[in-house]
Amino acid sequence: MSSVDSTRAVQTIMTSCPLLEEFSGNKVQALDMMEGKPWVCLSLRVLDLMIEMDPEMEGQPRITRDSQQLFALRQISRLTRMERIEFTGYTSCSELAKLLDEPLLKPNRPILAREEPRYNLELRLSKGLGLLCTLPNLKFIRLPSGQDWSMRDIDWARMHWPRLEFICGLNNRSLF
């Protein structure tokens, strides 16, 4: 499956399975979320999925990264039973080999393939994190790598996610 097909498959699952309680996938593109139906998996408790924002497109000024991000966060905010979110997605070794169309172990070949730049969610209050105040059962969150939170973000998380036990993916660990 190409990444476009797989992101559409994720969107189809999320809009077609109201009894889904756990889901782990590679990624979904925010534009596919915006073009599709609302997610109906309102019983979801565990989600492991990278949400990608496309760079701002020429000729489509209304679809900014910020509007994609806010749309994605609104979808997630509807999943009020959520206990665990990992915004990193999965990529198994065999899937990586398929992407590279090469054997898993090939001498003198870099493992990482270059792609066009994509952007992950920025989970900070200034970027819409407050929309996730509807997730009071959240115990664990793995942020996309490289997130910088202020004390305001930390205090907000403590107040709105009272069951939170673990945050992973922060650059500034000294805040805890």
Side-chain angles (χ1 to χ4, degrees), residues 109-154:
R109 177 159 174 102
I111 293 176
L112 299 175
R114 295 186 183 256
E115 291 186 5
E116 63 181 90
R118 299 283 182 194
Y119 302 95
N120 292 329
L121 288 174
E122 293 180 62
L123 292 171
R124 295 190 316 268
L125 287 171
S126 63
K127 295 290 189 175
L129 176 65
L131 292 169
L132 301 185
C133 68
T134 59
L135 311 179
N137 298 318
L138 196 63
K139 296 177 185 175
F140 178 96
I141 184 167
R142 181 180 305 272
L143 304 169
S145 63
Q147 300 286 314
D148 289 314
W149 274 19
S150 67
M151 277 308 297
R152 185 172 166 243
D153 298 317
I154 299 286

Side-chain angles (χ1 to χ4, degrees), residues 69-160:
Q69 167 137 339
L70 290 174
F71 187 90
L73 291 174
R74 283 187 195 104
Q75 285 281 38
I76 294 164
S77 74
R78 299 174 62 238
L79 310 176
T80 58
R81 295 184 182 178
M82 190 63 62
E83 296 175 11
R84 180 182 183 100
I85 301 178
E86 298 193 41
F87 289 112
T88 54
Y90 74 87
T91 303
S92 69
C93 291
S94 60
E95 286 187 18
L96 185 58
K98 287 178 195 172
L99 290 173
L100 296 174
D101 197 27
E102 295 288 337
L104 283 177
L105 299 174
K106 186 169 184 176
N108 303 320
R109 177 159 174 102
I111 293 176
L112 299 175
R114 295 186 183 256
E115 291 186 5
E116 63 181 90
R118 299 283 182 194
Y119 302 95
N120 292 329
L121 288 174
E122 293 180 62
L123 292 171
R124 295 190 316 268
L125 287 171
S126 63
K127 295 290 189 175
L129 176 65
L131 292 169
L132 301 185
C133 68
T134 59
L135 311 179
N137 298 318
L138 196 63
K139 296 177 185 175
F140 178 96
I141 184 167
R142 181 180 305 272
L143 304 169
S145 63
Q147 300 286 314
D148 289 314
W149 274 19
S150 67
M151 277 308 297
R152 185 172 166 243
D153 298 317
I154 299 286
D155 290 341
W156 180 92
R158 287 180 178 147
M159 178 181 293
H160 290 89

